[in-house]
Amino acid sequence: MVIQRIAFAAAVAIPVILTQAPGPAWASPGQTENQPGSDVVDSQIGRTAVTTFVGFVGRQISRFGGNLGGAILTVELPDDARGQRGAAAGDEIDRMAGWVNFSDTDIEDNHIPTRFDGDIRTYLVGLDYQVEPEILAGVAFGLERGEFATQFNGGTITTRGKTISPYASYRLDDQWSFDGILGYTRGDLDQVRGAAITSDSDFHRYFAQVSANYVTDVPAVDNMLLAGQLGYTYAFEKINGFTESNGNGVASNSNPLGQVQLSGRVGYSLFDIADGWVFHPYTGLRMLFETQSSNIAVGAGQAEHPNDQHEGQFSLGVDFFSGAKLSGNLEFTRSFARTKVTSSVIAVNLRWAFGPAE
């Protein structure tokens, strides 16, 4: 217990100490209606894209590299019988699996000088391998497309990106696991503002996340599980300089992000539904605390952006399993706590396990 408390405290304190410096202002000081859209709101778009990506990959790892998937499928069994059903560790479990994920994230900023709204659609495919009973390693590939209406300058932004992201997980015991994610996104953006002033550029995004995961049953309620995660994400995005069609030159911009994530969820396993299927509906809460981020600046006389550095996310979802081969997840998430910015996400994930058998 003492060791667990020390590890928990260190996981919180270290990233905070390392990233206390405030981020730079993102936009130049001119009126936002005279700025290209990326120069004003791309820090918000980049933050949403990173948070969404690492969230989905992290939950994928915790279900199958950590203890959550096995706990869902064995929570009704006595401890000495676990490992005999579904995704729990055992002789009949396939060591390799492939998975796909689709998500649609809607984001909206209601602050008038920076008002915009739009969607980020992400398509992921991944492949992982159970190197040892306690070690999972894999890689995810992603395609990202964003379409936004920037009302503050009467324009639009379209983004396209490709991501590669290796990941790994280590299962310490029946309750604790640890995982890490690395990623790189290469993309481009096209935008329009005002009277058909156009421009295009490209961007590079780097990110990493480390997490500790904990799963436990509830002795007083059969088949109920509690799960929690503490993680830290660091990301850095750079948009290269470009020239608009009216000859206006725009310098390159960079956007760092440091973020502590604390989440928990409670779910209940329903066994042998629909010819052997297992369903695990759940509800969750995720809190994001930024230790480093870029402020959104506006022009003289315009109302300052709140630049909130924390966010809450409420989720409803269901994990489902059909034997040891097919599994998946459906989830809806809604954000809160940011004064002017809201987002909602709908996502579906499917996973298929195949040989060689462990």
Side-chain angles (χ1 to χ4, degrees):
M1 181 62 71
V2 173
I3 294 176
Q4 293 174 353
R5 289 177 178 174
I6 293 173
F8 185 91
V12 175
I14 291 174
V16 173
I17 292 171
L18 291 176
T19 57
Q20 282 295 323
W26 182 258
S28 60
Q31 299 292 300
T32 54
E33 61 263 32
N34 299 320
Q35 299 295 322
S38 64
D39 211 27
V40 179
V41 300
D42 204 75
S43 59
Q44 298 189 72
I45 296 173
R47 177 184 63 205
T48 302
V50 169
T51 302
T52 301
F53 186 98
V54 297
F56 288 135
V57 176
R59 288 191 287 279
Q60 171 75 16
I61 300 172
S62 67
R63 278 195 295 271
F64 302 105
N67 302 300
L68 184 57
I72 290 172
L73 291 165
T74 61
V75 67
E76 70 171 1
L77 302 176
D79 289 342
D80 57 2
R82 295 189 175 185
Q84 298 177 9
R85 187 204 299 260
D91 292 339
E92 301 302 320
I93 300 304
D94 293 311
R95 300 180 70 173
M96 184 171 288
W99 56 271
V100 293
N101 176 280
F102 168 75
S103 67
D104 188 340
T105 303
D106 177 82
I107 179 173
E108 183 175 356
D109 183 344
N110 288 316
H111 188 57
I112 298 301
T114 60
R115 185 180 177 189
F116 80 99
D117 63 82
D119 293 89
I120 302 174
R121 295 180 179 88
T122 304
Y123 307 83
L124 302 178
V125 59
L127 183 69
D128 51 51
Y129 186 77
Q130 199 80 41
V131 182
E132 298 290 343
E134 69 278 6
I135 300 175
L136 181 80
V139 62
F141 302 92
L143 296 177
E144 168 192 320
R145 182 176 177 86
E147 296 179 334
F148 309 94
T150 52
Q151 290 91 347
F152 63 87
N153 68 357
T156 61
I157 300 175
T158 301
T159 65
R160 292 168 296 272
K162 299 178 181 179
T163 300
I164 181 170
S165 177
Y167 58 86
S169 173
Y170 174 73
R171 188 169 61 248
L172 181 64
D173 54 31
D174 288 341
Q175 294 179 312
W176 286 95
S177 66
F178 303 89
D179 56 65
I181 303 169
L182 296 174
Y184 169 70
T185 301
R186 166 70 170 81
D188 58 75
L189 60 89
D190 300 319
Q191 50 192 336
V192 181
R193 69 175 176 93
I197 300 173
T198 63
S199 59
D200 61 82
S201 184
D202 55 15
F203 64 88
H204 303 267
R205 185 188 303 147
Y206 306 85
F207 57 90
Q209 176 173 288
V210 292
S211 300
N213 310 285
Y214 182 79
V215 179
T216 185
D217 56 10
V218 180
V221 183
D222 291 341
N223 299 346
M224 182 171 285
L225 286 175
L226 299 177
Q229 183 183 70
L230 174 65
Y232 178 72
T233 299
Y234 182 79
F236 183 85
E237 181 177 86
K238 180 180 179 180
I239 297 179
N240 290 328
F242 56 92
T243 300
E244 295 183 288
S245 59
N246 64 349
N248 178 50
V250 180
S252 62
N253 247 323
S254 61
N255 176 34
L257 175 68
Q259 191 179 79
V260 175
Q261 300 138 2
L262 180 62
S263 62
R265 61 178 245 178
V266 56
Y268 187 87
S269 292
L270 303 170
F271 291 95
D272 299 325
I273 306 297
D275 193 26
W277 284 74
V278 176
F279 292 89
H280 186 80
Y282 63 87
T283 183
L285 180 66
R286 185 185 188 202
M287 299 302 299
L288 312 176
F289 305 95
E290 292 173 8
T291 60
Q292 186 177 14
S293 60
S294 294
N295 289 331
I296 302 167
V298 296
Q302 293 183 303
E304 293 292 331
H305 196 281
N307 287 310
D308 304 292
Q309 294 187 314
H310 58 276
E311 178 179 317
Q313 296 177 347
F314 173 76
S315 61
L316 290 172
V318 59
D319 296 315
F320 53 89
F321 301 81
S322 176
K325 296 287 188 181
L326 177 65
S327 58
N329 169 265
L330 180 65
E331 182 177 277
F332 172 77
T333 301
R334 178 69 176 179
S335 74
F336 62 94
R338 293 193 190 272
T339 307
K340 295 292 185 178
V341 181
T342 58
S343 64
S344 58
V345 187
I346 182 91
V348 61
N349 185 91
L350 292 173
R351 185 178 192 267
W352 180 259
F354 53 93
E358 183 177 287

